[in-house]
Amino acid sequence: MSLIGGIRPPIAVLSVLLLSLAGITALVLGRVDNGGVPKAVQTSQEHFAEDGAIALRASIDESVTDLTRSAALFSAGQPVSGDAVLDKLGSTYQKWTGTAVVEIRTGKLVAARGETVPLTSVNTSGLGDEGGLAPRMVKLKNGEARLLSFALLSWPGKPQLLLVASNNLTFPGISLGQFRSIAVVDRDGAILSSDGIPEPEQVRTSTDRQEIKLSRKQLKDFAQLAARKARQDPRSSKEPGAGGYQGVSGSLVGGHVLSDRSVAGYATLAAPDPGEVTTASGLGLSVVAMVKVAEDTTRTQSLVVGLLAGGALLVVGAIAVAVLLGTVQRPLIRLFLESRRLTRGDLTRPVTIPGYGEARRVGHALEQLRRQLLGESADATGPTPRPRGLRRIGTRALLAACAVLLLAWSAPLMLLINRADSTAVVPQQLVSDQRERTDTLSDRVRRALNEGSADLESVGSLIGNRTEPEAMEKVLERTLDENRRYRSLYVVDSSGEILARKGKDPKMIRSHRVSDTPIRLLGHGGKEPVVVANADIPGRGGAQLVGEFRVEFLNALLTRPGMGVVRLVDDHSKVIAGNTGFLAFQGLPDDHLKDLVAASAQRLGKKARANGVLYREHGVRIAAAAPFAGSGPAESLGWSVVSWQPANRLAIPEYDAQNRTVLAGLLGAAAAVGCLGWLHIVVARPLRSLADRAEALAGGDRKTVLFPQHHDEVGAVTRSLELIRQQLQDQRRQQPRRTPPQASAPQQYTRN
């Protein structure tokens, strides 16, 4: 018999699958994660740490890039004093705690602004070449850390100067919310800076001081663990094909802090693209975000549902297999044995005829053929009787009945049992994390737009009185190469005529006239939003430098895992950018989100607030909205970032139970459809064709050759029928032929 054909393999495979599925269902279906902290909360802390690492990495890299570009633009112009350089930097950028200009040859301090730059810990004599300008970490006497960035100021005939900028390792725009702390950790696990935990002397009660001490100890322990895990290769830190964050990231669960449990996420500073190394990613820093989560001890583990479902599957599977064995397998094997007996010449005993369907038709045909082999004619045996009543039920109907029986077990699991939308307990921490992460994204987009506007002001002021198009295009090309945020840069005069351009063709609508608004949104009604920033060029009679932002740049800022759908909307709640596909200037999908954006944009005092809510209409959904809040020209746009995601995609115990229930139903349905479909292909259809050919052979058709399609039971019966056909032909040849009587010859008459 064929290994994959025949009647036995499909039924055996179906039995094994149903038995295995019953055992798995009984053991897994009723389990509930009782760890106190759902997996979704742990994953959310990991994503929160990744957000902090991305913000810190972008801040460091942009700071170094801005300092280097500004020094290059200063060096390309006329020599200026150190005070003028620092004054211009201070008016354009507000990102450094301290700046200084030092003469490299003598080490003399030329100018300084802001916090005192720790130059005593740096050997400035070795920084004259480009290779020695890499940023470095410096620790102050009070234990705080500073990141020093360097750039060269060179003019022909002037002493070479070193531009130094000092910055603390703070997280720009990270919204922590309540009960959360975040820290920057070096390679050895030492905390370089932290935020979110107050000093013990700032609280009054001894209980609060004890809680703060425990929190600091937990944060230090998490920092040590994160530093050890950060040493591994990012490719081996995740499951194959997981994708996501380019660096090493994960979550940690700690001990109890009084009545709560501490959960932390960690992430290393990594370049945005695989294989790249940026200034920040080469510092070996990691971010640890810790939060205190209230444990839910009400969830208990119950195996009742799993045991009931597994037991029901055993009963249903036993009935289905018994039906297949008794009504499909056994009659077919009996036909196989009877047909072999006839081909061997054992014709004394009548053929045992099965009770139903095609097998009964083949059995009647074999009985007629047995009688014909004994010498009866096909006319004498008569036509093969057709089954009537219940005996007409064929193999296809039996397979369909078994499929309905098994699907009656699978369908409730897929559609009815363990529905979590009405029973799921969504942790409040997930709603808070969605709100804080949305607020962080809003601030991130606002800062990016402000950075773009500041870059244009810096470049526009340094273009100065360069009136030649070639000179202006050289500056524009350098700026475009150093920034990925612009799609096009061009200089326009007061009438809107383009004097110099680099990048793609401008998309400004109608004209390129100048505007007093630093950042504008154009392209209403078009296929693509056009976000434009402009800056005045001093001394050029109203000429401006205009930059058009890439929509892909804004989309990339909004792309963060674990947040669902994210949209950047304008002051009329029209979509400008998003992390998934969208239509330009389309509205939000429902009124709930519009109301949420409107509520978050309302001002309490002078500050807008971020909102996070949990909807239970048409499925449980977490949503949050955060308007632009802060300084800079982007704040006046009135834009907001809104995000939403269904709760059934999160690792919440109730939804995990629902997913396991649906999976069990799908596996049961797949086993039924696969094995019964297999039986239909290799048994039901060939058996139906065999019944027709057997009846034709019993009815006297001796010319049609019967050949098997498969080497299985049906094929064996077909071969036996072919042998019987040949025996009947030989029997017919051996019968004496009847010769008709000859007519008498006519008499001949002769004439006398």
Side-chain angles (χ1 to χ4, degrees):
M1 298 301 170
S2 177
L3 181 61
I4 62 173
I7 188 65
R8 292 185 178 90
I11 298 178
V13 171
L14 178 63
S15 303
V16 172
L17 290 179
L18 294 180
L19 185 61
S20 302
L21 182 57
I24 295 173
T25 301
L27 295 176
V28 177
L29 194 60
R31 291 187 179 273
V32 176
D33 184 10
N34 197 27
V37 180
K39 183 64 177 177
V41 176
Q42 301 178 35
T43 304
S44 181
Q45 307 319 307
E46 177 183 351
H47 292 327
F48 200 97
E50 293 173 356
D51 291 346
I54 291 175
L56 184 60
R57 189 266 309 160
S59 176
I60 294 175
D61 289 341
E62 288 177 357
S63 177
V64 173
T65 301
D66 292 340
L67 189 71
T68 304
R69 182 178 62 252
S70 299
L73 292 175
F74 276 118
S75 300
Q78 297 297 323
V80 294
S81 65
D83 290 318
V85 171
L86 298 185
D87 289 339
K88 186 59 181 177
L89 284 179
S91 62
T92 305
Y93 302 102
Q94 293 81 32
K95 60 176 61 179
W96 295 294
T97 59
T99 53
V101 176
V102 182
E103 187 176 338
I104 294 181
R105 184 174 58 84
T106 62
K108 178 183 176 182
L109 180 64
V110 177
R113 295 291 186 275
E115 180 185 77
T116 302
V117 180
L119 297 174
T120 56
S121 57
V122 180
N123 183 13
T124 57
S125 61
L127 298 176
D129 54 338
E130 292 291 337
L133 296 177
R136 62 197 63 189
M137 301 292 303
V138 175
K139 280 195 174 183
L140 304 180
K141 293 181 179 181
N142 59 0
E144 296 182 0
R146 292 292 184 268
L147 178 65
L148 300 183
S149 304
F150 308 96
L152 292 177
L153 294 170
S154 301
W155 292 284
K158 296 288 184 178
Q160 195 174 38
L161 302 179
L162 181 67
L163 178 60
V164 186
S166 173
N167 203 357
N168 53 14
L169 297 175
T170 58
F171 297 91
I174 295 294
S175 179
L176 296 180
Q178 295 181 344
F179 312 115
R180 190 192 302 275
S181 57
I182 194 168
V184 181
V185 181
D186 63 9
R187 290 187 176 93
D188 300 326
I191 297 178
L192 302 179
S193 67
S194 63
D195 191 11
I197 301 180
E199 296 296 332
E201 57 271 12
Q202 296 178 357
V203 297
R204 295 180 179 180
T205 64
S206 59
T207 303
D208 292 340
R209 285 194 291 268
Q210 180 185 1
E211 185 176 355
I212 289 174
K213 291 179 181 179
L214 290 175
S215 299
R216 288 186 178 277
K217 183 179 182 304
Q218 287 280 1
L219 187 58
K220 290 181 181 179
D221 294 340
F222 282 137
Q224 294 291 334
L225 290 173
R228 287 199 295 267
K229 292 182 176 293
R231 298 188 184 103
Q232 59 183 323
D233 192 307
R235 294 170 294 182
S236 61
S237 63
K238 299 180 178 64
E239 296 181 358
Y245 189 65
Q246 299 297 331
V248 179
S249 63
S251 61
L252 302 168
V253 179
H256 290 82
V257 180
L258 297 183
S259 61
D260 300 327
R261 181 181 287 272
S262 59
V263 184
Y266 63 90
T268 59
L269 270 63
D273 298 321
E276 291 186 0
V277 178
T278 65
T279 300
S281 62
L283 297 175
L285 302 179
S286 301
V287 173
V288 177
M290 184 184 74
V291 68
K292 292 180 293 183
V293 180
E295 288 188 295
D296 186 1
T297 58
T298 60
R299 292 188 176 98
T300 58
Q301 179 172 317
S302 175
L303 297 178
V304 175
V305 177
L307 291 175
L308 291 177
L313 181 58
L314 286 178
V315 175
V316 171
I319 295 175
V321 172
V323 170
L324 294 176
L325 290 176
T327 61
V328 180
Q329 177 175 311
R330 189 174 299 171
L332 183 57
I333 294 177
R334 186 178 298 157
L335 288 178
F336 163 67
L337 296 176
E338 293 290 339
S339 64
R340 290 285 297 272
R341 178 172 66 84
L342 297 182
T343 57
R344 290 195 301 265
D346 185 2
L347 307 177
T348 58
R349 182 163 44 89
V351 174
T352 303
I353 300 175
Y356 301 96
E358 296 87 353
R360 183 176 180 84
R361 293 169 55 192
V362 176
H364 276 296
L366 287 176
E367 173 60 21
Q368 289 179 312
L369 292 172
R370 184 189 70 84
R371 293 167 58 187
Q372 293 176 18
L373 289 173
L374 290 175
E376 296 186 22
S377 65
D379 295 334
T381 57
T384 303
R386 287 295 182 109
R388 295 181 179 180
L390 293 177
R391 297 186 180 277
R392 296 180 58 185
I393 298 176
T395 306
R396 293 186 299 178
L398 295 172
L399 295 180
C402 293
V404 170
L405 190 62
L406 294 175
L407 291 178
W409 178 86
S410 301
L413 294 180
M414 292 187 291
L415 303 174
L416 300 176
I417 299 177
N418 277 348
R419 299 297 96 183
D421 283 341
S422 59
T423 61
V425 179
V426 179
Q428 182 61 35
Q429 187 62 47
L430 293 179
V431 181
S432 300
D433 290 344
Q434 187 82 10
R435 180 183 65 246
E436 306 306 336
R437 295 187 67 196
T438 304
D439 195 15
T440 299
L441 273 186
S442 176
D443 190 82
R444 184 183 176 193
V445 176
R446 181 187 62 83
R447 288 176 180 271
L449 295 175
N450 288 342
E451 285 282 342
S453 178
D455 289 342
L456 293 181
E457 289 182 8
S458 175
V459 175
S461 63
L462 292 175
I463 286 179
N465 54 3
R466 293 187 176 98
T467 58
E468 299 80 4
E470 294 79 7
M472 291 188 292
E473 290 178 356
K474 185 177 181 180
V475 177
L476 297 180
E477 183 176 7
R478 180 187 300 176
T479 305
L480 197 63
D481 293 339
E482 293 176 350
N483 290 276
R484 299 182 179 180
R485 58 171 59 97
Y486 305 111
R487 65 176 303 275
S488 178
L489 287 173
Y490 44 94
V491 177
V492 296
D493 59 15
S494 58
S495 63
E497 181 182 354
I498 296 179
L499 304 179
R501 179 178 65 85
K502 279 295 178 182
K504 298 182 179 179
D505 294 335
K507 286 192 174 183
M508 289 182 61
I509 309 300
R510 296 179 183 176
S511 70
H512 307 288
R513 61 181 181 273
V514 298
S515 173
D516 295 333
T517 305
I519 302 177
R520 293 175 289 163
L521 174 62
L522 304 176
H524 293 278
K527 296 182 179 180
E528 183 177 345
V530 182
V531 182
V532 178
N534 50 267
D536 292 331
I537 301 178
R540 294 289 298 274
Q544 288 186 341
L545 173 62
V546 182
E548 295 182 4
F549 289 91
R550 296 189 303 117
V551 177
E552 295 80 7
F553 168 72
L554 299 176
N555 294 340
L557 294 177
L558 302 176
T559 303
R560 292 297 306 128
M563 292 194 66
V565 181
V566 184
R567 294 287 184 263
L568 174 65
V569 297
D570 61 9
D571 52 347
H572 298 291
S573 296
K574 301 299 182 181
V575 178
I576 303 171
N579 63 338
T580 58
F582 66 94
L583 294 177
F585 301 106
Q586 69 177 355
L588 292 172
D590 56 54
D591 293 334
H592 291 300
L593 296 175
K594 296 178 183 177
D595 295 340
L596 182 62
V597 172
S600 64
Q602 292 177 355
R603 295 183 177 274
L604 298 179
K606 292 185 178 180
K607 185 177 182 181
R609 55 189 174 90
N611 278 353
V613 295
L614 182 68
Y615 295 121
R616 289 189 177 272
E617 183 179 352
H618 305 298
V620 182
R621 181 179 55 176
I622 302 174
F628 282 5
S631 60
E635 193 267 342
S636 60
L637 294 172
W639 296 356
S640 300
V641 173
V642 57
S643 65
W644 66 92
Q645 62 177 326
N648 58 9
R649 297 183 181 180
L650 303 175
I652 298 173
E654 289 82 2
Y655 285 108
D656 288 343
Q658 174 181 311
N659 294 336
R660 288 194 292 265
T661 304
V662 173
L663 178 60
L666 289 174
L667 291 176
V673 172
C675 294
L676 296 179
W678 184 4
L679 277 171
H680 181 265
I681 293 174
V682 302
V683 175
R685 288 197 304 182
L687 185 60
R688 187 177 182 86
S689 176
L690 175 62
D692 294 335
R693 290 187 289 177
E695 289 176 345
L697 178 61
D701 183 5
R702 304 291 187 265
K703 296 182 179 180
T704 303
V705 179
L706 289 83
F707 54 90
Q709 296 180 352
H710 305 287
H711 297 286
D712 53 10
E713 293 86 357
V714 178
V717 175
T718 305
R719 287 195 298 270
S720 298
L721 289 175
E722 173 61 20
L723 293 176
I724 292 174
R725 186 189 69 84
Q726 296 175 8
Q727 292 177 9
L728 291 174
Q729 282 186 336
D730 294 340
Q731 188 181 44
R732 183 177 181 181
R733 293 191 192 99
Q734 293 175 4
Q735 291 179 353
R737 295 184 178 180
R738 297 179 180 179
T739 58
Q742 295 182 357
S744 57
Q747 296 181 356
Q748 295 182 357
Y749 295 93
T750 59
R751 182 177 299 177
N752 294 330

